[in-house]
Amino acid sequence: MKILQALLGAVAAVSLFAAPASAQNYPERSITMVVPFSAGGPTDTVARLVAESMSKDLGQQIIVENVGGAGGTLGAGRVAQADPDGYTILLHHIGMATSATLYRKLAYDTLNAFEYVGLVTEVPMTIVARKDFEPTDLKGLIDYVKANKDTVTVANAGIGAASHLCGMMFMSAIDTQLTTVPYKGTGPAMTDLLGGQVDIMCDQTTNTTKQIQGGTIKAYAVTSPARLKIFPDLPTAVESGLADFQVGIWHGIYAPKGTSAEVTERLSKSLQLALKDQNVTARFAELGTEPSSEADATPAALKAKLESEIARWKPVIEAAGQYAD
């Protein structure tokens, strides 16, 4: 009996000291960053830029893995169930907040299934249309779609995608329901907008900047509080008459619940350094966005953002009555 007690005591002692030692040496191998959307999309672009820079600081490669489907909930669910050792993390956008209402039966508790690392960036949206669409400014666009609501089509990258959320808010703001055309990803939606098969779309600058600059689509407004340096002549939605219409697609990094504070803090510090990387800031600028501040790239800031955004979008989604299940 005494021998058994001694063995149990030794095991407990090893367990007690193993976690801090592991956290202290973290990371000792490559890390998987799950992106719950398809490769080449806006969120994937952000993830790969940040992962490359964080890898340099951490001394281990961060491998981006795309686990798309169900509006980002499949990838999020995978991370929620992963071992809380810091080797599987999640980079998700605003859909982390909206899925809490869009999906009435989630496999995880959005607020309580994860540890928080920090905010990455908040990407502005653009209200765009096929290049030959008749309206010339946002006021004209609003008047036109109201008068032709039965024939105007709005593209999005699928339920829960940033383009779906922004489009839903646009229809709510102008009090007009339009025919929505969901696609399996941002790429196919943009392809049909370029081809004239659909009329309008509201999507992130990370996906629309090149097309706007190339004149292959028509841009009406940005959804940021102020005009963007990259598009100084493109007005904001607010100054064009849509009061309070500000939508930013924020991105954050999460870890499975139970991941140690030492590990999440290490990841947060690495994120903060990555967001100061000249390559990251330059590429973000080309995409019409900016890195989050050091104060926002923290666990506390991300948790507060998620809580406030769930509260913000819940009434919008419930009023639209559009659910994913």
Side-chain angles (χ1 to χ4, degrees):
M1 188 68 175
K2 289 182 179 180
I3 294 175
L4 178 59
Q5 288 176 338
L7 286 172
L8 290 174
V11 171
V14 170
S15 299
L16 180 64
F17 289 105
S22 177
Q24 185 178 2
N25 296 327
Y26 172 85
E28 298 178 302
R29 54 186 172 85
S30 62
I31 299 166
T32 297
M33 177 183 282
V34 172
V35 174
F37 300 103
S38 60
T43 301
D44 180 68
T45 299
V46 168
R48 292 180 188 276
L49 284 170
V50 172
E52 181 181 6
S53 184
M54 288 179 66
S55 294
K56 296 174 185 176
D57 171 63
L58 293 169
Q60 295 287 347
Q61 185 179 8
I62 296 181
I63 301 168
V64 174
E65 182 179 354
N66 300 94
V67 183
T73 61
L74 291 183
R78 173 173 171 175
V79 176
Q81 296 173 2
D83 291 335
D85 54 13
Y87 291 100
T88 304
I89 59 177
L90 171 72
L91 190 146
H92 203 338
H93 66 24
I94 190 174
M96 190 72 162
T98 55
S99 62
T101 305
L102 272 173
Y103 291 82
R104 291 164 291 188
K105 294 181 180 179
L106 273 180
Y108 53 88
D109 181 340
T110 305
L111 282 173
N112 299 307
F114 303 91
E115 303 293 347
Y116 302 88
V117 174
L119 286 159
V120 177
T121 186
E122 185 159 347
V123 182
M125 305 291 284
T126 50
I127 300 173
V128 297
R130 52 183 169 84
K131 66 178 182 180
D132 58 350
F133 204 44
E134 182 178 330
T136 57
D137 57 21
L138 186 60
K139 184 181 183 306
L141 174 68
I142 295 170
D143 291 341
Y144 183 90
V145 299
K146 281 178 171 287
N148 298 274
K149 61 182 180 181
D150 294 331
T151 58
V152 173
T153 53
V154 184
N156 66 59
I159 291 179
S163 51
H164 169 242
L165 301 172
C166 186
M168 188 164 52
M169 181 166 276
F170 175 70
M171 290 185 287
S172 175
I174 65 173
D175 194 26
T176 304
Q177 289 300 308
L178 305 171
T179 300
T180 58
V181 184
Y183 290 83
K184 292 182 178 180
T186 302
M190 179 57 71
T191 296
D192 273 10
L193 187 71
L194 291 168
Q197 281 77 40
V198 287
D199 297 318
I200 63 177
M201 185 163 70
C202 183
D203 206 5
Q204 302 174 65
T205 55
T206 44
N207 187 48
T208 60
T209 294
K210 289 183 178 179
Q211 284 76 21
I212 294 172
Q213 291 173 331
T216 54
I217 58 176
K218 184 179 290 186
Y220 291 102
V222 293
T223 64
S224 50
R227 295 192 184 198
L228 304 179
K229 293 179 181 178
I230 197 169
F231 298 128
D233 298 325
L234 189 60
T236 68
V238 172
E239 68 180 290
S240 299
L242 277 183
D244 300 323
F245 192 83
Q246 294 182 17
V247 186
I249 303 304
W250 53 273
H251 298 73
I253 296 178
Y254 307 80
K257 189 71 173 180
T259 303
S260 72
E262 292 88 352
V263 168
T264 55
E265 186 64 22
R266 179 70 182 93
L267 287 167
S268 183
K269 292 297 183 185
S270 183
L271 172 62
Q272 291 166 19
L273 286 174
L275 296 180
K276 295 176 183 176
D277 185 318
Q278 290 185 349
N279 179 59
V280 172
T281 57
R283 287 287 291 119
F284 274 15
E286 291 174 3
L287 297 170
T289 188
E290 297 179 353
S292 294
S293 67
E294 185 172 325
D296 284 341
T298 61
L302 176 56
K303 182 179 182 181
K305 183 72 170 180
L306 180 61
E307 290 173 341
S308 66
E309 287 287 280
I310 289 176
R312 179 194 181 198
W313 283 93
K314 182 177 174 65
V316 174
I317 295 168
E318 288 179 340
Q322 294 185 13
Y323 298 99
D325 55 12

